[in-house]
Amino acid sequence: MRIYIGILIILMLLSLVSPIQSITYAKELIIKDELKFEFWSLPWFPQSDKAAELIVKQLEKIGIKLELRRLESSIMYPRIQKFDFEAYALATSQSPNPLSMLDSFTSKWAKPDIGAFWGPLEDPEFDELINKIRTTTDPNELKRLVKEAQRRIAFESGFIPIYLTQSVKVIRAEWKNYTVMTGGLLEVFDIWSILYMYKSDKPEENVFKIAFPSDVLSLNPFTAVDLRSIWIINLIYDPLVRVDPEFNVVPWLAESWEVSDDGKVYTFKLRKNVKWHDGTPFTADDVVFTFTEGIKQETQRFVGLKDIIESVEKVDDYTVRFVLKNPYPFFLIDLATGYYYIAPKHIAGELDLTQWDNKNPIGTGPFRFVERTVGEFIVLQKNDDFWMAGVPKITRIIMKVIPEAESRFLAIKKGEVDTERYDTAITLVKQAEEDPNLNVVTAPGLWLIYIAFNTVNHFYDPKVFQAIHYAIDRQEIVEKANGGFGYPVYTVLNRFWNGDLAAEDIVFEYDPDKAAKLLEEAGWVDVDGDGVREYVGEKKREEEKPVETVVKTETVMVTETPEAATKTVTVVETVVKTVREVETKVETVTQAAGVSGGVVTGLIVVIVVLLGIIVFMASRMRRTASS
Amino acid sequence: MSFASYILKKVSEAIITIFIAVTLAFFLFRFLPGDPTAVFLDVRLTPEAKLALQKQFGLDKPLYEQYFLFIYNLLQGNLGYSFAYRGMPVSELIFGPKLVNTLVLMGSGMVIGAVLSTILGLIVGWKRGSILDRFLTSASYALSSAPIFWIGLLVLLVLGSYLNLIPMGGTLSIDALYADPLTRALNYLHHLVGPLIVIVLYFLPIYMLYVRNTIVSLLGEPFVELLKAKGLSSKTIVIGHLSKYALLTSITLLAVQSPLLVTGAIITETVFGWNGIGLLLYESVLKSDYPVVQGIFIITIAIVVVANLLADIAYAYIDPRIRRG
């Protein structure tokens, strides 16, 4: 008896020590027969694709089978967003605003098709926690809550961070005086480099040429949703505030600001010497217009502020008051890093902002727009009337589209361009290091490589996710998948982007034995000896229904005689089977060719239609010729 | 049937053809897997922004409503706006420098291909069985069965990377952007060389084999025997008589493949980053940019149908028997 009490006490003490034991899960388990998952990866993103390959091998050791399939993004993303997937490896871009990551685990993202990329926790208590974070102004309390949220995500969600990429950029050595910020050289938050960079004392020689992998899609600051477009917009337009190289919020178009005691009213004093590129003075009207209409017309960039901003009012020509719905301590960092650029009211005032093509952008920024050849070039020129004195040093920026990574690198080597927009391929870095004309600039990168499981409707067992955390050797992945350019990451926030808000005490050291033990505890044992663990626990709560049965019953219902019914069933089965086979074949072929399904299907259709046109034309020619 | 009613019949047929093709194009691309709002992943969209985007694209409406809206706009000559290039009219995207680039590349490629293949086809047809014939014929089979992207990459690798003879891609160098028109034009032509070689290599073997076969079949004709009997030299027979037939074959083939003038060579343009309609089509399929893809198809279809219509009318005008059907 005493022994039992002793054990009980020890267990209770243990439960206090180990954080895993103390969690009560809000979401019900979703169990499957064995730990076998279809695992998707994006073929053109080597940082995550190579990691995916390694993860498959590492998890195989503890009896979790991932079947790797490579899918094109246009196929993969919509299916992920419909929660029609099992597991995948991808990258997500980082932001200094911790809420952008934390919020994606609240219940509102559990609906299909709203753009969710991983299963949220689906716990009202967690939603409440995030709401509290949203409105807490006390920094210490905030830190505690943010860490609590990270802990819950780390121990309960199917989102498993692997590593943060290290940005590696190659730039021609004659360029001087750039800053290196988290995110990488010349990333969008880094306006400082582009303002102060130069290569010569003669202004006319300071032409900066940058290669993009594809053209920018939109120069409309309200609707641009890709970082390529925002990179250009960022040079033409100004936000109210920006971040300095240490990610502190600093004045920009707003000279200074005051926050009311309740944290709900922000009053900005605007700069008085600012002019639009067409000479019109910049005033409070432009700011009021941008935020009011941007939100009202549901533009992609501003619609997210709908739940935050109550109203934006003009106090006088150079003072603007933002009234918030609730206190929001991240308002300033959000304004500085959320890509909210001020647009000219005298140009866009009467327009449908969602359809505005903005062919000749007029901003207040350091560079003015000169010309653009869609698909090839954009030319910007120094704004001589820029409100900040003495900058920019660069007189002209030319963006050229060069689709192939190798060609971009060759162009830099030859000096046709100075640098490229995205990271240089790891395979080329060594060549760059050996070239005296090139500098290699590294910094903590923009991309968090992670794997995610579909916890919404496919599989949910936090213990298995814990085991996976321990079974992944992150250091090995960084070394092998990205040539050592990266940092292992264990939680959704990390110190590079979120400073001391990151819960650095949560670490899952590589420990496959611990992982195996966790799995056994949770009822996962390899019963049939095939190397994949089966479930032997008792908490079986949900059975998966095969899709085929649904098809069959529907067909049976419409057919009348039993014979006919069986016939149809066979036919349907055969059809279903054939379709499957064809699908698998196409996939195998495309995988072998290193191209992914979407492109190939698309191109096949294109080619078939083209052939059709040609045959049609040819047959007509023949007919007319023979008659 | 009178000439007027014949034309009426042909015109109405053409309209129905275009309508069916346009409808097919509309549905075909919407049944492809893919989501136009999912191509932007650099910056995560909030749920609100995603729904707003779908609404702005008109994708929240039922398919039939989207279709009627599309037809309504089309009748007004409006091809819609690109999804990917936000706010940019499709017509502006197509009828711009991209179309010019494609016309230049495909036009010159097809003409050079046709001329070269006619000459070569004549020679090997006349000297069939010779070593030259055997070599060129088997080379043609090899070339026409090689994947075009492979040829493209090979050209790029050898001429561009190893020998440094051609630029690595695009249609202009940055340095030529602000040069005088002549330098700019020369730079453009320099960029044209790579893709042009690939296009010519693509057309050359097929055309040559056609021409060769035409000549070979003609060689057995009595009139050739007669020409020989008249004592004409081989040169005169080939250049003076057979070349006309060869030319006819080439021109017929050119006409059949005329839609390629507009749609461009998708793969060649992609490999060389040649900023034309083919590259646009490729990118738009990737990005599920339905309006642009539709636009390119509608224009291609319209060109084919109208060209056929004109041909029909011209034939009927020349040969009254056709009118009687």
Side-chain angles (χ1 to χ4, degrees):
Chain A
M1 192 63 194
R2 261 184 221 165
I3 300 169
Y4 288 124
I5 292 172
I7 290 173
L8 207 69
I9 290 171
I10 290 171
L11 274 178
M12 279 170 75
L13 282 173
L14 267 178
S15 74
L16 286 175
V17 178
S18 157
I20 306 162
Q21 305 288 325
S22 64
I23 288 170
T24 47
Y25 303 118
K27 188 175 155 60
E28 266 189 34
L29 299 187
I30 307 174
I31 302 294
K32 55 200 285 179
D33 292 340
E34 52 177 0
L35 290 177
K36 198 178 199 173
F37 299 89
E38 199 177 292
F39 185 53
W40 296 347
S41 174
L42 200 56
W44 49 258
F45 202 84
Q47 282 102 325
S48 67
D49 191 44
K50 293 216 181 94
E53 276 177 26
L54 293 165
I55 288 166
V56 169
K57 279 188 203 141
Q58 293 179 354
L59 293 191
E60 208 171 357
K61 286 185 200 153
I62 59 157
I64 298 176
K65 175 99 186 119
L66 299 179
E67 290 168 329
L68 189 63
R69 274 185 65 188
R70 294 197 164 82
L71 290 181
E72 184 56 45
S73 54
S74 62
I75 314 279
M76 196 204 291
Y77 298 169
R79 285 186 64 184
I80 290 175
Q81 295 183 344
K82 286 189 178 75
F83 295 116
D84 177 16
F85 73 101
E86 296 184 3
Y88 67 84
L90 266 183
T92 179
S93 63
Q94 296 292 283
S95 147
N97 181 353
L99 271 175
S100 74
M101 275 313 275
L102 297 180
D103 181 73
S104 62
F105 290 89
T106 55
S107 306
K108 72 173 174 192
W109 293 88
K111 277 176 286 183
D113 259 344
I114 58 168
F117 255 85
W118 43 79
L121 290 186
E122 298 177 70
D123 174 13
E125 236 174 75
F126 181 81
D127 301 350
E128 197 42 52
L129 178 63
I130 298 300
N131 264 337
K132 237 192 260 167
I133 291 173
R134 218 183 272 285
T135 52
T136 303
T137 40
D138 173 41
N140 285 327
E141 174 68 0
L142 184 71
K143 215 177 279 178
R144 195 184 67 76
L145 293 174
V146 169
K147 285 189 178 170
E148 168 67 13
Q150 286 172 74
R151 199 177 65 89
R152 293 211 50 192
I153 294 166
F155 286 99
E156 292 172 51
S157 77
F159 177 93
I160 294 159
I162 308 292
Y163 72 97
L164 182 77
T165 58
Q166 190 174 24
S167 157
V168 184
K169 293 212 173 157
V170 171
I171 184 166
R172 300 228 19 120
E174 52 273 28
W175 287 93
K176 304 179 264 253
N177 212 20
Y178 42 75
T179 344
V180 182
M181 277 175 77
T182 295
L185 179 66
L186 292 167
E187 270 305 332
V188 250
F189 303 126
D190 174 21
I191 190 78
W192 312 100
S193 293
I194 210 85
L195 286 181
Y196 291 102
M197 262 167 70
Y198 65 92
K199 68 171 174 183
S200 159
D201 294 331
K202 293 182 206 129
E204 69 276 6
E205 283 180 10
N206 286 322
V207 176
F208 183 64
K209 295 167 284 190
I210 182 166
F212 275 41
S214 61
D215 194 13
V216 307
L217 296 175
S218 168
L219 291 175
N220 176 347
F222 291 97
T223 57
V225 281
D226 59 304
L227 280 182
R228 288 190 298 285
S229 304
I230 291 171
W231 196 88
I232 298 284
I233 290 170
N234 188 42
L235 302 177
I236 303 174
Y237 292 90
D238 282 325
L240 277 183
V241 286
R242 281 193 189 272
V243 284
D244 68 7
E246 280 78 46
F247 283 88
N248 303 308
V249 176
V250 292
W252 203 253
L253 278 181
E255 212 166 23
S256 63
W257 54 85
E258 276 167 27
V259 189
S260 66
D261 290 340
D262 63 356
K264 281 167 79 170
V265 182
Y266 284 70
T267 313
F268 292 92
K269 286 269 178 217
L270 305 177
R271 277 180 209 283
K272 293 191 174 121
N273 56 343
V274 181
K275 274 192 186 132
W276 293 99
H277 295 159
D278 61 0
T280 317
F282 157 81
T283 66
D285 289 325
D286 297 311
V287 179
V288 174
F289 153 74
T290 303
F291 282 91
T292 319
E293 285 301 308
I295 296 169
K296 205 173 95 192
Q297 299 192 24
E298 301 197 326
T299 63
Q300 276 69 57
R301 288 264 61 86
F302 287 80
V303 71
L305 292 175
K306 204 161 71 177
D307 298 331
I308 296 167
I309 294 180
E310 174 77 45
S311 67
V312 184
E313 298 148 14
K314 172 183 174 179
V315 180
D316 61 50
D317 268 358
Y318 294 98
T319 314
V320 185
R321 186 187 298 137
F322 286 72
V323 181
L324 308 188
K325 289 187 172 157
N326 293 299
Y328 179 46
F330 298 99
F331 188 56
L332 284 172
I333 188 91
D334 202 5
L335 279 186
T337 59
Y339 319 113
Y340 301 113
Y341 297 99
I342 308 301
K345 188 186 181 193
H346 68 280
I347 289 171
E350 306 296 318
L351 298 173
D352 176 357
L353 298 177
T354 60
Q355 292 297 344
W356 183 28
D357 60 353
N358 202 14
K359 255 185 262 172
N360 186 19
I362 298 287
T364 53
F367 291 90
R368 52 175 86 221
F369 175 83
V370 180
E371 62 168 325
R372 171 181 192 193
T373 313
V374 174
E376 277 200 274
F377 291 107
I378 287 185
V379 182
L380 306 176
Q381 201 178 345
K382 178 187 174 182
N383 174 14
D384 291 320
D385 296 330
F386 188 50
W387 52 266
M388 197 189 268
V391 290
K393 306 264 192 236
I394 293 171
T395 47
R396 183 176 279 163
I397 296 180
I398 302 173
M399 182 284 283
K400 188 191 183 190
V401 177
I402 306 178
E404 283 297 315
E406 295 257 355
S407 314
R408 279 198 297 280
F409 182 70
L410 271 177
I412 301 174
K413 239 173 123 76
K414 283 186 188 172
E416 200 193 334
V417 295
D418 294 306
T419 187
E420 58 178 313
R421 164 71 186 84
Y422 291 102
D423 287 357
T424 300
I426 297 300
T427 44
L428 300 169
V429 172
K430 215 172 159 49
Q431 275 192 61
E433 279 168 346
E434 284 161 6
D435 190 330
N437 295 321
L438 304 178
N439 278 348
V440 178
V441 183
T442 57
L446 186 63
W447 300 99
L448 176 68
I449 311 297
Y450 67 95
I451 62 174
F453 289 82
N454 177 1
T455 55
V456 172
N457 55 26
H458 184 73
F459 177 77
Y460 184 72
D461 185 346
K463 284 237 172 152
V464 172
F465 300 143
Q466 287 312 299
I468 292 173
H469 265 297
Y470 284 112
I472 291 175
D473 186 351
R474 291 171 169 83
Q475 196 56 49
E476 189 199 2
I477 292 173
V478 170
E479 296 295 335
K480 289 192 179 161
N482 211 27
F485 294 102
Y487 316 88
V489 166
Y490 305 95
T491 52
V492 280
L493 301 184
N494 57 73
R495 66 177 188 281
F496 305 102
W497 284 94
N498 306 100
D500 56 1
L501 285 179
E504 295 235 277
D505 50 323
I506 303 175
V507 173
F508 300 98
E509 283 297 346
Y510 175 56
D511 189 349
D513 296 336
K514 189 167 185 177
K517 221 173 119 213
L518 275 169
L519 287 174
E520 263 145 44
E521 273 170 29
W524 295 95
V525 180
D526 183 10
V527 182
D528 53 8
D530 62 348
V532 183
R533 285 171 193 266
E534 284 81 22
Y535 193 63
V536 293
E538 285 159 15
K539 292 178 279 179
K540 202 160 201 158
R541 289 179 197 164
E542 208 165 294
E543 289 265 356
E544 266 198 295
K545 286 178 197 116
V547 188
E548 287 91 329
T549 38
V550 183
V551 180
K552 276 182 210 160
T553 37
E554 271 176 8
T555 334
V556 175
M557 268 154 58
V558 285
T559 42
E560 279 149 22
T561 58
E563 294 94 329
T566 16
K567 244 186 186 170
T568 340
V569 171
T570 349
V571 171
V572 169
E573 270 175 336
T574 333
V575 170
V576 170
K577 226 174 121 194
T578 330
V579 169
R580 288 263 161 84
E581 271 167 15
V582 171
E583 272 179 358
T584 350
K585 264 185 200 154
V586 169
E587 268 158 26
T588 336
V589 170
T590 50
Q591 274 177 18
V595 200
S596 46
V599 191
V600 170
T601 337
L603 282 178
I604 287 173
V605 171
V606 169
I607 289 160
V608 165
V609 174
L610 280 178
L611 280 178
I613 292 167
I614 292 166
V615 168
F616 169 73
M617 181 91 188
S619 68
R620 293 214 123 197
M621 294 290 289
R622 214 181 44 207
R623 212 186 67 208
T624 33
S626 62
S627 58
Chain B
M1 203 191 290
S2 74
F3 191 49
S5 63
Y6 173 79
I7 290 179
L8 199 72
K9 182 173 161 255
K10 283 286 157 193
V11 169
S12 52
E13 264 179 32
I15 290 172
I16 292 169
T17 313
I18 290 183
F19 179 76
I20 291 172
V22 161
T23 307
L24 268 178
F26 178 88
F27 287 104
L28 213 56
F29 287 104
R30 275 163 178 76
F31 291 146
L32 270 182
D35 176 357
T37 60
V39 295
F40 320 104
L41 198 74
D42 284 0
V43 179
R44 213 172 19 247
L45 290 180
T46 60
E48 297 90 353
K50 167 128 178 145
L51 290 178
L53 195 63
Q54 275 176 340
K55 209 157 88 188
Q56 282 151 22
F57 286 171
L59 294 169
D60 55 333
K61 297 194 184 84
L63 202 57
Y64 70 89
E65 219 178 302
Q66 290 181 40
Y67 175 68
F68 285 123
L69 199 69
F70 161 70
I71 295 290
Y72 175 78
N73 284 332
L74 190 65
L75 289 177
Q76 296 178 323
N78 179 359
L79 287 172
Y81 295 90
S82 164
F83 287 169
Y85 291 99
R86 290 301 305 282
M88 191 175 289
V90 171
S91 48
E92 198 176 296
L93 209 53
I94 295 174
F95 294 109
K98 284 176 187 281
L99 185 62
V100 176
N101 287 340
T102 293
L103 283 176
V104 168
L105 173 64
M106 297 309 287
S108 55
M110 284 168 92
V111 168
I112 294 174
V115 170
L116 273 181
S117 60
T118 311
I119 297 169
L120 286 178
L122 266 173
I123 296 171
V124 297
W126 181 254
K127 306 229 167 197
R128 71 178 196 282
S130 66
I131 294 170
L132 185 73
D133 174 34
R134 267 181 273 163
F135 171 71
L136 280 181
T137 311
S138 41
S140 296
Y141 282 123
L143 255 182
S144 55
S145 54
I148 189 111
F149 72 85
W150 183 75
I151 299 176
L153 284 175
L154 217 60
V155 168
L156 198 64
L157 199 69
V158 174
L159 294 184
S161 191
Y162 295 160
L163 302 176
N164 213 353
L165 289 176
I166 56 165
M168 291 305 288
T171 62
L172 266 189
S173 306
I174 288 183
D175 302 326
L177 257 184
Y178 289 95
D180 54 295
L182 183 69
T183 324
R184 207 176 155 134
L186 285 176
N187 190 271
Y188 182 81
L189 290 179
H190 190 199
H191 281 80
L192 181 65
V193 173
L196 189 61
I197 290 175
V198 177
I199 297 291
V200 170
L201 284 182
Y202 173 72
F203 285 115
L204 191 65
I206 311 167
Y207 281 33
M208 197 197 82
L209 291 176
Y210 266 105
V211 173
R212 179 186 174 277
N213 289 351
T214 315
I215 301 300
V216 168
S217 64
L218 280 175
L219 284 177
E221 296 277 318
F223 82 91
V224 180
E225 294 300 319
L226 183 70
L227 290 173
K228 277 185 190 164
K230 275 166 81 180
L232 291 177
S233 69
S234 315
K235 215 168 150 189
T236 326
I237 298 177
V238 173
I239 296 172
H241 298 268
L242 294 182
S243 64
K244 287 180 199 157
Y245 290 94
L247 214 57
L248 205 67
T249 317
S250 289
I251 288 173
T252 314
L253 278 170
L254 272 183
V256 169
Q257 295 188 321
S258 64
L260 285 178
L261 263 180
V262 187
T263 52
I266 299 167
I267 294 164
T268 310
E269 288 189 2
T270 310
V271 169
F272 286 91
W274 186 258
N275 187 22
I277 302 291
L279 186 58
L280 180 68
L281 189 60
Y282 173 79
E283 284 180 347
S284 305
V285 170
L286 269 189
K287 291 174 185 150
S288 299
D289 194 348
Y290 304 143
V292 174
V293 181
Q294 276 160 209
I296 295 174
F297 269 92
I298 290 165
I299 287 161
T300 317
I301 290 159
I303 288 173
V304 175
V305 172
V306 169
N308 273 283
L309 181 66
L310 290 179
D312 277 347
I313 292 171
Y315 276 123
Y317 182 73
I318 297 161
D319 186 350
R321 281 176 304 175
I322 291 171
R323 276 180 248 165
R324 278 182 240 122

